[in-house]
Amino acid sequence: MKTILFFVLSLSSLCMFAQKTIDFPSKDGLQITADYYETKGSETFILLFHQAGWSRGEYKEIAPKLNALGYSCLAIDQRSGGAVNSVTNQTNQRAVAAEKETKYLDAFQDIEATVAYVKKTYTPKKVIIWGSSYSSSLVLKYAGDHPDNIDAAMAFSPGEYFGKDDFIKNSAANIKIPTFITSAQNEQDNWAAINEAIPTTTKVSYVPATKGNHGSRALWEKFDDNDGYWSAVKAFLKNI
């Protein structure tokens, strides 16, 4: 009986959640590879962007947990990246083969294209953008440059990674939506000025009492203090 019950529950989970790899064009026509983690009946999409040198594999463990919370997710390979968790960045490989630039800022168009693609293809009621390290800065830039396009922005270890002390800060000053910023404990100074520039009263930040970790990997189970990050993430999402 227990075996039958487990089988039925497993089938039920498969019906609720589904994951597949898709491709769609960036603004310059370069094909972006992404993992689509679907939650049946979800009205909110979370768009997941990885950190430097990595791939959509950063979210192999995180996205299914967001599915379980009721959110559909799209984790993409930006053109600036490499590999992580046995997942190679296919967008980066295409960009290199096409002799396109793959610096951090070159990936901003991939974020813009992803938001546009999801809104057109899936027409969700709400869109949340989520970045890690350099892409978390680009997420905040997007939120400031396109203040009416999305419903919330979440940044894991943002900073001024683009050669100017106020590049992200200047965009952050135009943000209208709820924002969430977190990082390792010793990284707070990297984003304090950016956070201060955000004019909304709906901004939230979380700094762990422990050492913590850089980027979205702070949520991985392998780190003992991941639960503090998860609690902060869940509390923020509940209010979106």
Side-chain angles (χ1 to χ4, degrees), residues 12-27:
S12 176
S13 296
L14 287 172
C15 290
M16 288 180 63
F17 311 124
Q19 188 246 317
K20 62 181 179 180
T21 300
I22 61 174
D23 296 309
F24 58 92
S26 188
K27 291 183 71 175

Side-chain angles (χ1 to χ4, degrees), residues 30-226:
L30 181 71
Q31 287 294 299
I32 296 172
T33 293
D35 287 335
Y36 173 34
Y37 298 83
E38 180 184 12
T39 296
K40 300 295 184 181
S42 173
E43 296 182 339
T44 301
F45 253 82
I46 300 180
L47 312 186
L48 302 165
F49 305 105
H50 59 76
Q51 65 177 270
W54 282 11
S55 71
R56 67 194 191 280
E58 182 171 2
Y59 296 99
K60 284 177 68 174
E61 177 185 318
I62 297 170
K65 292 182 178 181
L66 294 173
N67 280 166
L69 293 174
Y71 304 96
S72 287
C73 301
L74 193 71
I76 80 157
D77 283 343
Q78 295 111 236
R79 69 188 64 202
S80 182
V84 68
N85 292 332
S86 302
V87 179
T88 299
N89 187 318
Q90 296 180 34
T91 309
N92 173 258
Q93 288 188 330
R94 292 190 194 98
V96 171
E99 298 184 340
K100 292 180 178 290
E101 293 289 339
T102 59
K103 295 187 290 293
Y104 294 163
L105 193 54
D106 296 311
F108 187 62
Q109 63 188 305
D110 301 334
I111 292 175
E112 292 179 300
T114 301
V115 175
Y117 170 78
V118 166
K119 293 183 74 170
K120 180 179 179 180
T121 305
Y122 303 104
T123 61
K125 287 189 176 180
K126 294 182 178 180
V127 174
I128 299 169
I129 56 175
W130 169 322
S132 178
S133 191
Y134 90 87
S135 73
S136 72
S137 296
L138 294 182
V139 157
L140 294 175
K141 176 175 171 56
Y142 184 96
D145 292 357
H146 306 279
D148 300 314
N149 277 12
I150 52 172
D151 298 280
M154 303 179 71
F156 288 71
S157 301
E160 295 287 1
Y161 302 126
F162 307 92
K164 299 178 182 178
D165 291 340
D166 56 1
F167 182 66
I168 301 301
K169 177 183 174 182
N170 287 342
S171 290
N174 298 314
I175 292 176
K176 299 178 182 179
I177 57 173
T179 58
F180 174 85
I181 299 179
T182 189
S183 67
Q185 188 182 82
N186 65 359
E187 295 178 318
Q188 187 175 7
D189 287 347
N190 294 345
W191 51 266
I194 296 171
N195 189 50
E196 185 177 351
I198 298 172
T200 69
T201 58
T202 52
K203 60 185 178 184
V204 174
S205 61
Y206 170 74
V207 179
T210 54
K211 180 181 177 181
N213 280 281
H214 179 77
S216 296
R217 66 177 176 178
L219 295 169
W220 292 356
E221 290 181 2
K222 65 185 286 185
F223 300 118
D224 292 338
D225 55 1
N226 76 86

